Amino acid sequence: MEIIEYHPRRDQLVYTFGGSAPVLTVQPGTALRLWSEDAFNNALTSVDDVSGEKVDLNFVNPQTGPFYVEGAEPGDTLALHIVDLTPARSYGASATIPFFGGLTSTDRTATLQEPLADITWIYHVDTERRTVGFQSRLGDFEVALPLEPMLGTVGVAPPGGEVRSSLVPERFGGNMDAPDVKAGTTVYLGVNVEGALFSIGDGHYRQGEGEACGTAVEGAMHSTIIVELVKGGAPAWPRFETDYHWGAVGSSRPMEDSWRIGQVEMVRWFGDLFGLHQLDAYQLLTQTALAPIANAVDVNYSVVVKAPKALFPAADAYGGLHAHLRRQGAELR
């Protein structure tokens, strides 16, 4: 397996899906070892830094990429298997940002309400214990939380020549903020343009479901990813597979439409996996699905709909590609 390492310079980071020239061309079957910057562009490094003074909103959620995948054409399925995610710094940052987040007024949910205070929290990473340390800013409390790295953004270029902000989740993937996008997961994305042009970024050292205040424990990340291509079979919305679940992510507003998108995608996938009539798949999904909220703060809200594999007969999605990539990934670690 060819292994390519890529560490972008600051001026090589991109802030959109679509609209940027590829930084590298890769063959299917290639492993990439990538570095990505945190969502704040490393503007918050101490509790004395506050977003209103330090964060440039024109340069948030920087992406590493895009990567041109040889042979990828519209209608194909890009498979990205995450082998490993390792913090690239000894700290991560989170913040409450005025008029941003799930429990405050925003420009979409406008009220006559004062903004929340602009406060930064720094979480220190203990690599040996695999924890991140929370320390209260307004009291005297601390706790070590498990380190659970994930990628907030993974996506391809949108169709129709569109250029979308890296803050947006949509059909192309993007800023889904789904905790399931972690080591051991294979993400399936429909290809919209020649070469797919995928990017990754927005590393989180951990995040609760929903990302309530709008920021996770944001941190630079080392990512090892295997790139594969399935000709045809493009899913309408992002799908993922782990050893334990099949899942789909819907991103829209209102949130119930995100939930509906994920449900419909899983009904379709059940039809493919088990040869079920749509209504049989609908009934079966109704009794088995899990539906955690991925984010309730982005331009679109994202909901994950997933089915536990243990409840079903064995089935090989995309010809058993996830299991194959898991075996390949084990050789890289």
Side-chain angles (χ1 to χ4, degrees):
M1 184 188 305
E2 183 179 13
I3 301 173
I4 298 175
E5 296 191 12
Y6 178 69
H7 186 135
R9 301 188 308 270
R10 194 174 184 84
D11 63 353
Q12 291 177 311
L13 296 169
V14 297
Y15 301 88
T16 62
F17 287 92
S20 297
V23 295
L24 288 174
T25 296
V26 300
Q27 297 289 334
T30 299
L32 297 177
R33 297 192 190 276
L34 306 175
W35 180 92
S36 58
E37 183 56 276
D38 72 51
F40 300 120
N41 234 331
N42 200 31
L44 303 181
T45 63
S46 82
V47 295
D48 297 322
D49 296 328
V50 293
S51 66
E53 298 173 357
K54 296 287 187 175
V55 175
D56 186 340
L57 295 179
N58 293 308
F59 299 100
V60 292
N61 238 23
Q63 301 299 295
T64 295
F67 300 96
Y68 184 103
V69 181
E70 193 68 41
E73 300 173 305
D76 291 343
T77 303
L78 180 69
L80 300 175
H81 180 70
I82 304 171
V83 177
D84 183 68
L85 298 175
T86 300
R89 293 196 176 107
S90 61
Y91 63 89
S94 191
T96 49
I97 298 173
F99 297 122
F100 176 67
L103 300 180
T104 183
S105 297
T106 71
D107 61 345
R108 304 294 183 92
T109 304
T111 68
L112 296 174
Q113 180 188 82
E114 293 299 313
L116 296 178
D118 195 344
I119 300 176
T120 297
W121 287 261
I122 297 296
Y123 291 73
H124 294 283
V125 177
D126 186 325
T127 53
E128 290 186 3
R129 296 182 179 179
R130 292 194 57 79
T131 61
V132 288
F134 169 83
Q135 293 181 307
S136 62
R137 292 295 316 281
L138 306 173
D140 185 18
F141 179 82
E142 60 183 55
V143 63
L145 301 172
L147 180 66
E148 296 182 356
M150 54 166 283
L151 292 176
T153 54
V154 55
V156 296
E162 288 188 1
V163 178
R164 304 296 297 273
S165 165
S166 58
L167 295 173
V168 175
E170 236 272 9
R171 291 176 182 266
F172 57 87
N175 193 33
M176 298 178 288
D177 291 316
D180 297 274
V181 182
K182 60 186 178 180
T185 296
T186 303
V187 179
Y188 302 109
L189 299 165
V191 175
N192 302 304
V193 303
E194 184 179 307
L197 299 181
F198 79 89
S199 303
I200 62 102
D202 190 24
H204 296 174
Y205 295 168
R206 72 167 292 114
Q207 177 209 302
E209 292 174 352
E211 198 184 20
C213 82
T215 60
V217 181
E218 311 285 345
M221 196 76 77
H222 294 296
S223 302
T224 302
I225 294 172
I226 300 175
V227 181
E228 263 301 352
L229 183 67
V230 178
K231 297 302 291 181
W237 289 81
R239 294 178 178 178
F240 69 85
E241 183 175 3
T242 72
D243 293 350
Y244 308 103
H245 295 93
W246 299 289
V249 185
S251 299
S252 188
R253 284 201 187 194
M255 188 177 290
E256 54 262 37
D257 281 350
S258 304
W259 175 87
R260 291 184 179 109
I261 290 166
Q263 295 281 330
V264 168
E265 281 302 293
M266 286 305 298
V267 166
R268 291 171 175 163
W269 208 359
F270 273 18
D272 295 338
L273 289 169
F274 304 114
L276 293 174
H277 184 279
Q278 182 185 71
L279 293 182
D280 284 329
Y282 182 25
Q283 171 59 214
L284 186 59
L285 185 69
T286 300
Q287 313 310 335
T288 58
L290 306 172
I293 297 168
N295 89 76
V297 294
D298 291 338
V299 178
N300 290 323
Y301 300 150
S302 296
V303 174
V304 173
V305 178
K306 58 186 180 181
K309 288 182 174 180
L311 300 180
F312 302 94
D316 289 331
Y318 297 100
L321 182 57
H322 170 73
H324 170 70
L325 293 173
R326 284 285 275 165
R327 289 190 294 271
Q328 286 192 313
E331 298 174 2
L332 291 174
R333 294 178 67 88

